[in-house]
């Protein structure tokens, strides 16, 4: 599992669960194979929702373009079938793999500048959706700080080379997880709702591109690639049961996906305890 499939590690992740957040939400629609949504956003913290109206799993990755680079430059790089995205692109996160008919949301920090929105999930032939038209430009304009506090997190998930560290257990219900990339490489998080008795490792082994059903589980939320030092928040609706955490991003030197280096974890989400009654 290397090459574009590994890169599409822009791949996977977090999928379609109804989300409830207090801040204003910017919505993008994913179809086969295009995005619709605003062409301009304000700088600062943005809560982004992706609704999938297609028949395939989709994601939206926010990639900052450096001065002098354009969407056409990225499209040329994609056409070359390079084993990785250009190293001058900066990963700011985004909504990861949303299953057909589902939606998911994240909160990410955006600086002013030109961005590229991209879906790197592969089709049945292993080609990332970006090569089928799921690439578009976005302008982020300077805006005064809103003064709005960061989302309240139920737990913190730290990403490193090559492991996850979760600050504490997650209970069922509406939850927000704060993600921090402490590693020297870009990382992502894919949350998988595992089938009874299955593990994250089994989901990896049974994965096939093109949105084909995986008997080991189903995408259930997450965040696309974050560069070192960046952070984001994932808003989730969790049911009791077992989940897997995965990073599919590829090592820029070897091309090996991070999960092959041990970056996967199984967790259990338990039913929330009833609130204690007063005296």
């Amino acid at each position: 599992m290397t090459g574009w499939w590994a890169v599409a590690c822009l791949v996977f992740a977090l999928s379609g669960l109804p989300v409830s957040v207090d801040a204003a939400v910017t919505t993008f629609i994913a179809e086969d194979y295009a995005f619709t949504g605003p062409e301009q956003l304000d700088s600062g913290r943005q809560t982004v929702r992706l609704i999938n109206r297609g028949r395939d799993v989709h994601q939206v990755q926010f990639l900052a373009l450096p001065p002098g680079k354009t969407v056409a430059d990225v499209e040329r790089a994609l056409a070359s079938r390079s084993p990785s995205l250009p190293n001058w692109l900066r990963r700011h996160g985004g909504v990861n793999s949303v299953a057909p008919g589902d939606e998911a949301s994240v909160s990410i920090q955006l600086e002013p500048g030109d961005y590229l929105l991209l879906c790197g999930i592969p089709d049945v032939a292993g080609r990332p959706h970006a090569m089928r038209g799921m690439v578009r430009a976005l302008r982020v304009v300077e805006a005064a700080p809103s003064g709005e506090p960061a989302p309240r997190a139920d737990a913190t998930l730290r990403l490193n080379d090559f492991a996850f560290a979760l600050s504490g257990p997650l209970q069922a219900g509406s939850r927000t997880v704060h993600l921090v990339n402490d590693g020297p490489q870009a990382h992502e998080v894919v949350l998988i709702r595992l089938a009874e008795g299955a593990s994250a490792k089994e989901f990896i082994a049974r994965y096939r591109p093109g949105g084909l059903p995986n008997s080991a589980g189903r995408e259930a939320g997450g965040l696309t690639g974050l560069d070192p030092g960046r952070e984001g928040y994932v808003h989730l609706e969790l049911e009791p049961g077992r989940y897997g955490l995965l990073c599919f991003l590829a090592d820029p030197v070897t091309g090996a996906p991070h999960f092959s280096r041990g970056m996967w974890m199984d967790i259990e989400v338990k039913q929330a305890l009833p609130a204690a009654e007063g005296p």
Side-chain angles (χ1 to χ4, degrees):
M1 292 185 280
T2 57
W4 264 112
W5 179 85
V7 173
C9 293
L10 285 165
V11 95
F12 272 139
L14 296 180
S15 88
L17 301 165
V19 175
S20 175
V21 291
D22 294 330
V25 177
T26 298
T27 299
F28 290 89
I29 307 296
E31 299 182 89
D32 304 334
Y33 295 93
F35 294 115
T36 57
E39 297 180 353
Q40 181 172 296
L41 293 176
D42 289 341
S43 63
R45 193 179 306 281
Q46 289 282 349
T47 297
V48 178
R49 174 173 60 186
L50 182 66
I51 299 173
N52 186 355
R53 293 182 179 165
R55 293 176 296 177
D56 205 345
V57 179
H58 292 300
Q59 65 174 192
V60 57
Q61 168 83 61
F62 284 70
L63 298 163
L65 293 166
K69 295 293 185 180
T70 66
V71 173
D73 293 319
V74 179
E75 290 175 330
R76 281 191 288 271
L78 292 172
S80 73
R81 299 188 67 84
S82 167
S84 63
L85 287 171
N87 59 13
W88 36 262
L89 287 170
R90 301 272 67 88
R91 291 176 169 88
H92 284 238
V95 186
N96 222 338
S97 306
V98 179
D102 285 345
E103 64 177 64
S105 77
V106 302
S107 295
I108 55 177
Q109 190 74 22
L110 299 176
E111 287 80 43
D114 291 318
Y115 285 73
L116 178 79
L117 304 183
L118 176 150
C119 180
I121 293 175
D123 64 14
V124 70
R127 297 172 299 173
H129 295 165
M131 293 180 65
R132 301 189 64 176
M134 290 194 80
V135 178
R136 58 164 289 185
L138 176 78
R139 170 67 58 84
V140 175
V141 297
E142 183 93 40
S146 67
E148 186 175 314
R152 184 187 65 80
D154 296 285
T156 297
L157 181 66
R158 295 192 173 274
L159 321 177
N160 216 316
D161 297 359
F162 296 95
F164 296 113
L166 186 62
S167 64
L170 290 170
Q171 293 183 327
S174 299
R175 303 297 172 204
T176 295
V177 180
H178 181 204
L179 275 64
V180 181
N181 186 358
D182 290 329
Q185 292 192 32
H187 291 296
E188 70 168 359
V189 175
V190 178
L191 180 69
I192 304 298
R193 178 70 161 98
L194 295 170
E196 184 70 28
S199 68
K201 197 169 184 179
E202 288 174 295
F203 183 91
I204 295 165
R206 300 177 193 177
Y207 172 75
R208 298 294 182 272
L212 299 177
N214 188 319
S215 60
R218 173 185 172 91
E219 298 88 346
L223 193 74
T224 55
L226 282 176
D227 273 345
R230 298 201 68 87
E231 63 176 4
Y233 294 82
V234 180
H235 308 293
L236 303 170
E237 289 287 340
L238 297 174
E239 297 179 356
R242 289 176 54 80
Y243 290 79
L245 304 179
L246 304 170
C247 181
F248 287 85
L249 290 188
D251 184 284
V253 176
T254 66
H258 291 168
F259 66 74
S260 69
R261 305 286 302 275
M263 201 163 180
W264 59 272
M265 173 189 285
D266 293 328
I267 63 173
E268 184 171 358
V269 172
K270 296 185 177 182
Q271 185 68 50
L273 297 175
E277 296 184 2

